[in-house]
Amino acid sequence: RAKSAGGNRFELADPEADARAITRHGLTTALPTALERGEFFIEYQPLVHLGDGSVRGAEALVRWLHPQHGVLGPDRFIPLAEHTGLIVPLGRWVLEQSVRQAREWRELRGGAEAMGPLRINVNLSPCQLTHPGLVQDTVDILERTGVEPDALCLEVTESALIGADDDLLKPLRRLAEMGVDIALDDFGTGYSNLANLRRLPVSILKLDRSFTQSMQQFPADPVDLKIVEGIVSLAHSLDLAVTVEGVETGAQAEQLRILGCDTAQGWYYARPGPPERLHELALVDATG
Ligand code: C2E
Ligand code: MG
Ligand code: MG
Ligand code: MG
């Protein structure tokens, strides 16, 4: 189908683009009811200590079980939820669910106090950062569930904090003072301003998966090794812990451990899954 667009110009309709637009439109309008109907669910991916292999926590990753399209990943709907503002109630729901889950794990882990509580990492979108209710909502959720602030880590992408002024950082500072950890997610993908790190209230750097991918070959590219080594030593000198994402092989894990990274996450250990999976992993830990 070609339609005339005035004068003698012709525009070809692109059926695929049409379909994408319809789906996008359809998904956007379905989002609010999806939250009411309980169509969202959370998968958890373990965070593993590279030194001893123990599970230290998990990252919460939201999914949408759409009645027609099946399970949709966050990349399909988070941008839409950000655009419409639904991300604020959705993000609050994810936070509450995840913190409740963390409390359940804590109870199950009982005897393994020496290893500290299983920690829960929750992603925050930039819209949630600028929403005035963030600190109070978080405090309320922690109080309602009886979870200590230091069992919670909020992940914010580096790009969300680029050029951040003090107003944007204030709620994060407040949360950090309470004992909530703030992690800088996807670190190394943007225009990482290393000097800027000092003024951000973060305690964890999450090295982007692209670094892990460059550790695929053995021996890895010497320049990549130097870069990661440099980031890790800078991070440690600023008292930041380093987590690596996207670890898919034992060789990558070993290389990143040697480079001094603290914690890892990836398919090599476990894919994101239902909370029961973590029950098992955590209990295995607790009993040795
Ligand atoms: P992220 O926070 O960087 O999360 C890590 C992503 O890497 C997840 O994708 C995870 O499934 C994937 N991943 C983990 N291990 C591996 C691996 O070994 N190999 C590969 N190839 N991938 C791995 P997912 O679940 O599709 O989430 C994508 C992004 O969506 C997240 O990136 C995060 O930015 C966002 N997101 C997820 N849940 C939420 C949420 O509740 N709120 C907000 N605002 N964003 C969320
Ligand atoms: Mg994340
Ligand atoms: Mg990440
Ligand atoms: Mg990522």
mmCIF file of all heavy atoms in Angstrom, residues 88-134:
data_model
loop_
_atom_site.group_PDB
_atom_site.id
_atom_site.type_symbol
_atom_site.label_atom_id
_atom_site.label_comp_id
_atom_site.label_asym_id
_atom_site.label_seq_id
_atom_site.Cartn_x
_atom_site.Cartn_y
_atom_site.Cartn_z
ATOM 1 N N VAL A 88 6.176 4.732 38.340
ATOM 2 C CA VAL A 88 6.224 5.044 39.773
ATOM 3 C C VAL A 88 5.449 4.005 40.593
ATOM 4 O O VAL A 88 6.038 3.363 41.472
ATOM 5 C CB VAL A 88 5.779 6.496 40.055
ATOM 6 C CG1 VAL A 88 5.604 6.735 41.549
ATOM 7 C CG2 VAL A 88 6.805 7.472 39.476
ATOM 8 N N PRO A 89 4.136 3.771 40.302
ATOM 9 C CA PRO A 89 3.465 2.693 41.051
ATOM 10 C C PRO A 89 4.042 1.303 40.757
ATOM 11 O O PRO A 89 4.140 0.468 41.668
ATOM 12 C CB PRO A 89 2.001 2.785 40.607
ATOM 13 C CG PRO A 89 1.984 3.636 39.385
ATOM 14 C CD PRO A 89 3.190 4.527 39.457
ATOM 15 N N LEU A 90 4.461 1.055 39.531
ATOM 16 C CA LEU A 90 5.041 -0.253 39.205
ATOM 17 C C LEU A 90 6.349 -0.462 39.985
ATOM 18 O O LEU A 90 6.566 -1.519 40.578
ATOM 19 C CB LEU A 90 5.295 -0.372 37.695
ATOM 20 C CG LEU A 90 5.998 -1.644 37.214
ATOM 21 C CD1 LEU A 90 5.192 -2.896 37.571
ATOM 22 C CD2 LEU A 90 6.232 -1.599 35.695
ATOM 23 N N GLY A 91 7.191 0.564 40.003
ATOM 24 C CA GLY A 91 8.458 0.476 40.720
ATOM 25 C C GLY A 91 8.243 0.269 42.218
ATOM 26 O O GLY A 91 8.978 -0.475 42.863
ATOM 27 N N ARG A 92 7.219 0.933 42.749
ATOM 28 C CA ARG A 92 6.911 0.783 44.166
ATOM 29 C C ARG A 92 6.460 -0.649 44.457
ATOM 30 O O ARG A 92 6.839 -1.253 45.454
ATOM 31 C CB ARG A 92 5.797 1.775 44.535
ATOM 32 C CG ARG A 92 5.691 2.074 46.009
ATOM 33 C CD ARG A 92 4.457 2.907 46.308
ATOM 34 N NE ARG A 92 4.502 4.248 45.730
ATOM 35 C CZ ARG A 92 3.523 4.801 44.983
ATOM 36 N NH1 ARG A 92 2.422 4.128 44.706
ATOM 37 N NH2 ARG A 92 3.647 6.018 44.517
ATOM 38 N N TRP A 93 5.673 -1.196 43.530
ATOM 39 C CA TRP A 93 5.207 -2.579 43.684
ATOM 40 C C TRP A 93 6.403 -3.544 43.662
ATOM 41 O O TRP A 93 6.503 -4.441 44.496
ATOM 42 C CB TRP A 93 4.208 -2.920 42.569
ATOM 43 C CG TRP A 93 3.709 -4.334 42.647
ATOM 44 C CD1 TRP A 93 2.700 -4.817 43.432
ATOM 45 C CD2 TRP A 93 4.238 -5.455 41.913
ATOM 46 N NE1 TRP A 93 2.564 -6.173 43.244
ATOM 47 C CE2 TRP A 93 3.491 -6.585 42.314
ATOM 48 C CE3 TRP A 93 5.255 -5.601 40.969
ATOM 49 C CZ2 TRP A 93 3.743 -7.860 41.795
ATOM 50 C CZ3 TRP A 93 5.512 -6.879 40.469
ATOM 51 C CH2 TRP A 93 4.755 -7.987 40.878
ATOM 52 N N VAL A 94 7.320 -3.338 42.715
ATOM 53 C CA VAL A 94 8.503 -4.201 42.614
ATOM 54 C C VAL A 94 9.308 -4.122 43.913
ATOM 55 O O VAL A 94 9.738 -5.139 44.464
ATOM 56 C CB VAL A 94 9.402 -3.812 41.412
ATOM 57 C CG1 VAL A 94 10.725 -4.572 41.439
ATOM 58 C CG2 VAL A 94 8.686 -4.066 40.087
ATOM 59 N N LEU A 95 9.473 -2.902 44.414
ATOM 60 C CA LEU A 95 10.253 -2.714 45.638
ATOM 61 C C LEU A 95 9.609 -3.464 46.810
ATOM 62 O O LEU A 95 10.280 -4.196 47.543
ATOM 63 C CB LEU A 95 10.373 -1.219 45.951
ATOM 64 C CG LEU A 95 11.232 -0.845 47.149
ATOM 65 C CD1 LEU A 95 12.679 -1.269 46.951
ATOM 66 C CD2 LEU A 95 11.166 0.672 47.401
ATOM 67 N N GLU A 96 8.305 -3.296 46.960
ATOM 68 C CA GLU A 96 7.633 -3.942 48.089
ATOM 69 C C GLU A 96 7.699 -5.461 47.988
ATOM 70 O O GLU A 96 8.027 -6.152 48.947
ATOM 71 C CB GLU A 96 6.170 -3.470 48.190
ATOM 72 C CG GLU A 96 5.385 -4.245 49.237
ATOM 73 C CD GLU A 96 4.558 -3.370 50.159
ATOM 74 O OE1 GLU A 96 4.193 -2.247 49.747
ATOM 75 O OE2 GLU A 96 4.263 -3.817 51.293
ATOM 76 N N GLN A 97 7.398 -5.995 46.807
ATOM 77 C CA GLN A 97 7.457 -7.446 46.603
ATOM 78 C C GLN A 97 8.840 -7.986 46.924
ATOM 79 O O GLN A 97 8.999 -9.017 47.570
ATOM 80 C CB GLN A 97 7.174 -7.777 45.129
ATOM 81 C CG GLN A 97 5.766 -7.623 44.700
ATOM 82 C CD GLN A 97 4.886 -8.638 45.388
ATOM 83 O OE1 GLN A 97 4.040 -8.257 46.184
ATOM 84 N NE2 GLN A 97 5.107 -9.910 45.114
ATOM 85 N N SER A 98 9.866 -7.281 46.423
ATOM 86 C CA SER A 98 11.237 -7.767 46.555
ATOM 87 C C SER A 98 11.701 -7.737 48.004
ATOM 88 O O SER A 98 12.379 -8.655 48.470
ATOM 89 C CB SER A 98 12.194 -6.912 45.710
ATOM 90 O OG SER A 98 11.714 -6.780 44.408
ATOM 91 N N VAL A 99 11.324 -6.676 48.709
ATOM 92 C CA VAL A 99 11.738 -6.559 50.101
ATOM 93 C C VAL A 99 11.021 -7.634 50.943
ATOM 94 O O VAL A 99 11.622 -8.243 51.828
ATOM 95 C CB VAL A 99 11.490 -5.129 50.635
ATOM 96 C CG1 VAL A 99 11.657 -5.065 52.144
ATOM 97 C CG2 VAL A 99 12.440 -4.152 49.958
ATOM 98 N N ARG A 100 9.745 -7.901 50.625
ATOM 99 C CA ARG A 100 9.041 -8.989 51.310
ATOM 100 C C ARG A 100 9.744 -10.313 51.070
ATOM 101 O O ARG A 100 9.885 -11.143 51.965
ATOM 102 C CB ARG A 100 7.601 -9.113 50.793
ATOM 103 C CG ARG A 100 6.701 -8.054 51.325
ATOM 104 C CD ARG A 100 5.231 -8.303 51.017
ATOM 105 N NE ARG A 100 4.497 -7.138 51.448
ATOM 106 C CZ ARG A 100 4.277 -6.829 52.711
ATOM 107 N NH1 ARG A 100 4.694 -7.641 53.680
ATOM 108 N NH2 ARG A 100 3.640 -5.721 53.035
ATOM 109 N N GLN A 101 10.169 -10.513 49.831
ATOM 110 C CA GLN A 101 10.875 -11.737 49.481
ATOM 111 C C GLN A 101 12.178 -11.852 50.280
ATOM 112 O O GLN A 101 12.517 -12.912 50.785
ATOM 113 C CB GLN A 101 11.161 -11.729 47.975
ATOM 114 C CG GLN A 101 11.592 -13.045 47.428
ATOM 115 C CD GLN A 101 10.589 -14.146 47.742
ATOM 116 O OE1 GLN A 101 9.464 -14.103 47.293
ATOM 117 N NE2 GLN A 101 10.998 -15.120 48.534
ATOM 118 N N ALA A 102 12.870 -10.726 50.413
ATOM 119 C CA ALA A 102 14.132 -10.733 51.159
ATOM 120 C C ALA A 102 13.889 -11.140 52.611
ATOM 121 O O ALA A 102 14.690 -11.855 53.214
ATOM 122 C CB ALA A 102 14.800 -9.361 51.091
ATOM 123 N N ARG A 103 12.770 -10.684 53.177
ATOM 124 C CA ARG A 103 12.489 -11.058 54.561
ATOM 125 C C ARG A 103 12.240 -12.555 54.670
ATOM 126 O O ARG A 103 12.694 -13.217 55.605
ATOM 127 C CB ARG A 103 11.281 -10.295 55.106
ATOM 128 C CG ARG A 103 11.156 -10.525 56.605
ATOM 129 C CD ARG A 103 9.848 -10.076 57.165
ATOM 130 N NE ARG A 103 8.739 -10.587 56.386
ATOM 131 C CZ ARG A 103 7.496 -10.148 56.492
ATOM 132 N NH1 ARG A 103 7.217 -9.182 57.337
ATOM 133 N NH2 ARG A 103 6.537 -10.658 55.752
ATOM 134 N N GLU A 104 11.530 -13.103 53.690
ATOM 135 C CA GLU A 104 11.267 -14.535 53.704
ATOM 136 C C GLU A 104 12.580 -15.323 53.642
ATOM 137 O O GLU A 104 12.772 -16.291 54.360
ATOM 138 C CB GLU A 104 10.380 -14.881 52.515
ATOM 139 C CG GLU A 104 9.618 -16.167 52.664
ATOM 140 C CD GLU A 104 8.665 -16.352 51.484
ATOM 141 O OE1 GLU A 104 7.866 -15.425 51.212
ATOM 142 O OE2 GLU A 104 8.746 -17.400 50.828
ATOM 143 N N TRP A 105 13.495 -14.870 52.781
ATOM 144 C CA TRP A 105 14.791 -15.544 52.673
ATOM 145 C C TRP A 105 15.543 -15.476 53.985
ATOM 146 O O TRP A 105 16.183 -16.416 54.400
ATOM 147 C CB TRP A 105 15.646 -14.900 51.575
ATOM 148 C CG TRP A 105 15.180 -15.215 50.194
ATOM 149 C CD1 TRP A 105 14.564 -16.357 49.778
ATOM 150 C CD2 TRP A 105 15.293 -14.377 49.044
ATOM 151 N NE1 TRP A 105 14.295 -16.272 48.436
ATOM 152 C CE2 TRP A 105 14.731 -15.085 47.959
ATOM 153 C CE3 TRP A 105 15.825 -13.112 48.826
ATOM 154 C CZ2 TRP A 105 14.680 -14.555 46.673
ATOM 155 C CZ3 TRP A 105 15.778 -12.591 47.542
ATOM 156 C CH2 TRP A 105 15.209 -13.306 46.484
ATOM 157 N N ARG A 106 15.442 -14.312 54.651
ATOM 158 C CA ARG A 106 16.159 -14.130 55.899
ATOM 159 C C ARG A 106 15.692 -15.160 56.917
ATOM 160 O O ARG A 106 16.487 -15.774 57.620
ATOM 161 C CB ARG A 106 15.927 -12.720 56.445
ATOM 162 C CG ARG A 106 16.777 -12.417 57.647
ATOM 163 C CD ARG A 106 16.447 -11.074 58.252
ATOM 164 N NE ARG A 106 15.087 -11.037 58.747
ATOM 165 C CZ ARG A 106 14.482 -9.913 59.154
ATOM 166 N NH1 ARG A 106 15.108 -8.768 59.090
ATOM 167 N NH2 ARG A 106 13.253 -9.957 59.602
ATOM 168 N N GLU A 107 14.373 -15.357 56.948
ATOM 169 C CA GLU A 107 13.838 -16.321 57.908
ATOM 170 C C GLU A 107 14.316 -17.731 57.584
ATOM 171 O O GLU A 107 14.705 -18.487 58.456
ATOM 172 C CB GLU A 107 12.305 -16.247 57.923
ATOM 173 C CG GLU A 107 11.839 -15.030 58.707
ATOM 174 C CD GLU A 107 10.411 -14.596 58.369
ATOM 175 O OE1 GLU A 107 9.708 -15.365 57.695
ATOM 176 O OE2 GLU A 107 10.041 -13.489 58.779
ATOM 177 N N LEU A 108 14.319 -18.059 56.281
ATOM 178 C CA LEU A 108 14.757 -19.391 55.878
ATOM 179 C C LEU A 108 16.227 -19.618 56.178
ATOM 180 O O LEU A 108 16.655 -20.725 56.461
ATOM 181 C CB LEU A 108 14.531 -19.579 54.381
ATOM 182 C CG LEU A 108 13.102 -19.880 53.976
ATOM 183 C CD1 LEU A 108 12.941 -19.746 52.475
ATOM 184 C CD2 LEU A 108 12.736 -21.289 54.417
ATOM 185 N N ARG A 109 17.007 -18.551 56.090
ATOM 186 C CA ARG A 109 18.450 -18.707 56.233
ATOM 187 C C ARG A 109 18.881 -18.864 57.684
ATOM 188 O O ARG A 109 19.988 -19.309 57.968
ATOM 189 C CB ARG A 109 19.160 -17.510 55.595
ATOM 190 C CG ARG A 109 20.532 -17.872 55.104
ATOM 191 C CD ARG A 109 21.193 -16.714 54.446
ATOM 192 N NE ARG A 109 22.085 -17.186 53.390
ATOM 193 C CZ ARG A 109 23.066 -16.497 52.886
ATOM 194 N NH1 ARG A 109 23.272 -15.271 53.287
ATOM 195 N NH2 ARG A 109 23.840 -16.992 51.956
ATOM 196 N N GLY A 110 17.974 -18.497 58.578
ATOM 197 C CA GLY A 110 18.186 -18.603 60.017
ATOM 198 C C GLY A 110 19.612 -18.772 60.503
ATOM 199 O O GLY A 110 20.253 -17.815 60.904
ATOM 200 N N GLY A 111 20.118 -20.018 60.438
ATOM 201 C CA GLY A 111 21.383 -20.361 61.058
ATOM 202 C C GLY A 111 22.630 -19.723 60.470
ATOM 203 O O GLY A 111 23.684 -19.750 61.092
ATOM 204 N N ALA A 112 22.522 -19.133 59.299
ATOM 205 C CA ALA A 112 23.742 -18.681 58.613
ATOM 206 C C ALA A 112 24.018 -17.203 58.830
ATOM 207 O O ALA A 112 24.475 -16.512 57.947
ATOM 208 C CB ALA A 112 23.638 -18.990 57.132
ATOM 209 N N GLU A 113 23.769 -16.732 60.035
ATOM 210 C CA GLU A 113 23.918 -15.313 60.348
ATOM 211 C C GLU A 113 25.308 -14.768 60.008
ATOM 212 O O GLU A 113 25.460 -13.631 59.593
ATOM 213 C CB GLU A 113 23.652 -15.060 61.843
ATOM 214 C CG GLU A 113 22.538 -14.054 62.085
ATOM 215 C CD GLU A 113 21.175 -14.712 62.126
ATOM 216 O OE1 GLU A 113 20.848 -15.249 63.188
ATOM 217 O OE2 GLU A 113 20.483 -14.719 61.118
ATOM 218 N N ALA A 114 26.307 -15.634 60.170
ATOM 219 C CA ALA A 114 27.687 -15.188 59.959
ATOM 220 C C ALA A 114 27.884 -14.616 58.555
ATOM 221 O O ALA A 114 28.696 -13.734 58.354
ATOM 222 C CB ALA A 114 28.640 -16.360 60.182
ATOM 223 N N MET A 115 27.107 -15.128 57.609
ATOM 224 C CA MET A 115 27.262 -14.655 56.241
ATOM 225 C C MET A 115 26.462 -13.379 55.992
ATOM 226 O O MET A 115 26.489 -12.843 54.892
ATOM 227 C CB MET A 115 26.819 -15.731 55.251
ATOM 228 C CG MET A 115 27.616 -16.997 55.447
ATOM 229 S SD MET A 115 27.572 -18.092 54.034
ATOM 230 C CE MET A 115 25.942 -17.949 53.508
ATOM 231 N N GLY A 116 25.741 -12.929 56.984
ATOM 232 C CA GLY A 116 24.938 -11.727 56.815
ATOM 233 C C GLY A 116 23.665 -12.065 56.080
ATOM 234 O O GLY A 116 23.507 -13.171 55.567
ATOM 235 N N PRO A 117 22.735 -11.107 56.033
ATOM 236 C CA PRO A 117 21.455 -11.388 55.400
ATOM 237 C C PRO A 117 21.630 -11.496 53.884
ATOM 238 O O PRO A 117 22.576 -10.946 53.322
ATOM 239 C CB PRO A 117 20.620 -10.157 55.745
ATOM 240 C CG PRO A 117 21.613 -9.058 55.940
ATOM 241 C CD PRO A 117 22.860 -9.706 56.468
ATOM 242 N N LEU A 118 20.737 -12.239 53.251
ATOM 243 C CA LEU A 118 20.693 -12.209 51.797
ATOM 244 C C LEU A 118 20.211 -10.827 51.405
ATOM 245 O O LEU A 118 19.222 -10.333 51.914
ATOM 246 C CB LEU A 118 19.708 -13.252 51.280
ATOM 247 C CG LEU A 118 20.217 -14.662 51.150
ATOM 248 C CD1 LEU A 118 19.109 -15.557 50.627
ATOM 249 C CD2 LEU A 118 21.408 -14.728 50.211
ATOM 250 N N ARG A 119 20.926 -10.208 50.486
ATOM 251 C CA ARG A 119 20.583 -8.846 50.124
ATOM 252 C C ARG A 119 19.723 -8.838 48.877
ATOM 253 O O ARG A 119 19.791 -9.742 48.062
ATOM 254 C CB ARG A 119 21.861 -8.047 49.930
ATOM 255 C CG ARG A 119 22.873 -8.409 51.015
ATOM 256 C CD ARG A 119 24.086 -7.539 51.055
ATOM 257 N NE ARG A 119 23.706 -6.185 51.380
ATOM 258 C CZ ARG A 119 23.821 -5.177 50.546
ATOM 259 N NH1 ARG A 119 24.292 -5.376 49.340
ATOM 260 N NH2 ARG A 119 23.467 -3.978 50.919
ATOM 261 N N ILE A 120 18.907 -7.801 48.760
ATOM 262 C CA ILE A 120 18.051 -7.702 47.591
ATOM 263 C C ILE A 120 18.395 -6.433 46.806
ATOM 264 O O ILE A 120 18.489 -5.353 47.382
ATOM 265 C CB ILE A 120 16.552 -7.746 47.984
ATOM 266 C CG1 ILE A 120 15.654 -7.769 46.751
ATOM 267 C CG2 ILE A 120 16.140 -6.610 48.895
ATOM 268 C CD1 ILE A 120 15.633 -9.081 46.036
ATOM 269 N N ASN A 121 18.650 -6.601 45.516
ATOM 270 C CA ASN A 121 18.937 -5.469 44.634
ATOM 271 C C ASN A 121 17.707 -5.161 43.793
ATOM 272 O O ASN A 121 17.146 -6.054 43.175
ATOM 273 C CB ASN A 121 20.095 -5.806 43.690
ATOM 274 C CG ASN A 121 21.445 -5.770 44.372
ATOM 275 O OD1 ASN A 121 21.554 -6.121 45.547
ATOM 276 N ND2 ASN A 121 22.461 -5.371 43.647
ATOM 277 N N VAL A 122 17.314 -3.891 43.781
ATOM 278 C CA VAL A 122 16.132 -3.475 43.024
ATOM 279 C C VAL A 122 16.527 -2.322 42.098
ATOM 280 O O VAL A 122 17.202 -1.388 42.522
ATOM 281 C CB VAL A 122 15.002 -3.037 43.990
ATOM 282 C CG1 VAL A 122 13.771 -2.583 43.213
ATOM 283 C CG2 VAL A 122 14.637 -4.171 44.945
ATOM 284 N N ASN A 123 16.113 -2.408 40.837
ATOM 285 C CA ASN A 123 16.427 -1.353 39.870
ATOM 286 C C ASN A 123 15.497 -0.156 40.032
ATOM 287 O O ASN A 123 14.293 -0.313 40.223
ATOM 288 C CB ASN A 123 16.287 -1.891 38.436
ATOM 289 C CG ASN A 123 17.331 -2.932 38.117
ATOM 290 O OD1 ASN A 123 18.500 -2.611 37.915
ATOM 291 N ND2 ASN A 123 16.925 -4.196 38.097
ATOM 292 N N LEU A 124 16.061 1.024 39.932
ATOM 293 C CA LEU A 124 15.275 2.257 39.987
ATOM 294 C C LEU A 124 15.388 2.957 38.643
ATOM 295 O O LEU A 124 16.481 3.088 38.100
ATOM 296 C CB LEU A 124 15.854 3.215 41.021
ATOM 297 C CG LEU A 124 15.512 3.095 42.481
ATOM 298 C CD1 LEU A 124 15.959 4.359 43.198
ATOM 299 C CD2 LEU A 124 14.031 2.859 42.698
ATOM 300 N N SER A 125 14.267 3.408 38.122
ATOM 301 C CA SER A 125 14.352 4.163 36.874
ATOM 302 C C SER A 125 14.543 5.645 37.215
ATOM 303 O O SER A 125 14.219 6.088 38.310
ATOM 304 C CB SER A 125 13.104 3.918 36.034
ATOM 305 O OG SER A 125 12.261 5.009 36.105
ATOM 306 N N PRO A 126 15.084 6.409 36.261
ATOM 307 C CA PRO A 126 15.319 7.837 36.510
ATOM 308 C C PRO A 126 14.056 8.577 36.972
ATOM 309 O O PRO A 126 14.135 9.466 37.815
ATOM 310 C CB PRO A 126 15.779 8.366 35.148
ATOM 311 C CG PRO A 126 16.293 7.179 34.414
ATOM 312 C CD PRO A 126 15.562 5.985 34.936
ATOM 313 N N CYS A 127 12.880 8.167 36.459
ATOM 314 C CA CYS A 127 11.627 8.836 36.869
ATOM 315 C C CYS A 127 11.352 8.636 38.358
ATOM 316 O O CYS A 127 10.765 9.497 39.010
ATOM 317 C CB CYS A 127 10.423 8.298 36.116
ATOM 318 S SG CYS A 127 10.665 8.098 34.375
ATOM 319 N N GLN A 128 11.749 7.483 38.878
ATOM 320 C CA GLN A 128 11.513 7.242 40.297
ATOM 321 C C GLN A 128 12.416 8.134 41.154
ATOM 322 O O GLN A 128 12.039 8.539 42.243
ATOM 323 C CB GLN A 128 11.763 5.776 40.638
ATOM 324 C CG GLN A 128 10.723 4.842 40.075
ATOM 325 C CD GLN A 128 11.117 3.400 40.284
ATOM 326 O OE1 GLN A 128 11.841 2.815 39.478
ATOM 327 N NE2 GLN A 128 10.683 2.812 41.387
ATOM 328 N N LEU A 129 13.613 8.415 40.602
ATOM 329 C CA LEU A 129 14.561 9.273 41.316
ATOM 330 C C LEU A 129 14.031 10.677 41.518
ATOM 331 O O LEU A 129 14.282 11.314 42.535
ATOM 332 C CB LEU A 129 15.864 9.393 40.515
ATOM 333 C CG LEU A 129 16.896 8.325 40.683
ATOM 334 C CD1 LEU A 129 18.139 8.690 39.914
ATOM 335 C CD2 LEU A 129 17.207 8.180 42.165
ATOM 336 N N THR A 130 13.304 11.180 40.515
ATOM 337 C CA THR A 130 12.816 12.546 40.603
ATOM 338 C C THR A 130 11.441 12.595 41.265
ATOM 339 O O THR A 130 10.923 13.663 41.519
ATOM 340 C CB THR A 130 12.722 13.183 39.201
ATOM 341 O OG1 THR A 130 12.004 12.291 38.345
ATOM 342 C CG2 THR A 130 14.103 13.407 38.617
ATOM 343 N N HIS A 131 10.853 11.438 41.554
ATOM 344 C CA HIS A 131 9.549 11.424 42.210
ATOM 345 C C HIS A 131 9.705 11.724 43.694
ATOM 346 O O HIS A 131 10.503 11.080 44.380
ATOM 347 C CB HIS A 131 8.883 10.061 42.001
ATOM 348 C CG HIS A 131 7.494 10.007 42.534
ATOM 349 N ND1 HIS A 131 7.200 9.476 43.773
ATOM 350 C CD2 HIS A 131 6.334 10.453 42.013
ATOM 351 C CE1 HIS A 131 5.903 9.593 43.983
ATOM 352 N NE2 HIS A 131 5.356 10.176 42.934
ATOM 353 N N PRO A 132 8.953 12.707 44.218
ATOM 354 C CA PRO A 132 9.180 13.157 45.591
ATOM 355 C C PRO A 132 8.895 12.101 46.659
ATOM 356 O O PRO A 132 9.377 12.214 47.778
ATOM 357 C CB PRO A 132 8.231 14.351 45.745
ATOM 358 C CG PRO A 132 7.264 14.252 44.616
ATOM 359 C CD PRO A 132 7.949 13.513 43.517
ATOM 360 N N GLY A 133 8.141 11.030 46.308
ATOM 361 C CA GLY A 133 7.792 10.041 47.325
ATOM 362 C C GLY A 133 8.833 8.956 47.543
ATOM 363 O O GLY A 133 8.655 8.108 48.421
ATOM 364 N N LEU A 134 9.933 8.986 46.803
ATOM 365 C CA LEU A 134 10.861 7.845 46.834
ATOM 366 C C LEU A 134 11.357 7.479 48.236
ATOM 367 O O LEU A 134 11.269 6.324 48.658
ATOM 368 C CB LEU A 134 12.049 8.101 45.908
ATOM 369 C CG LEU A 134 13.138 7.031 45.945
ATOM 370 C CD1 LEU A 134 12.640 5.718 45.346
ATOM 371 C CD2 LEU A 134 14.403 7.484 45.226
#
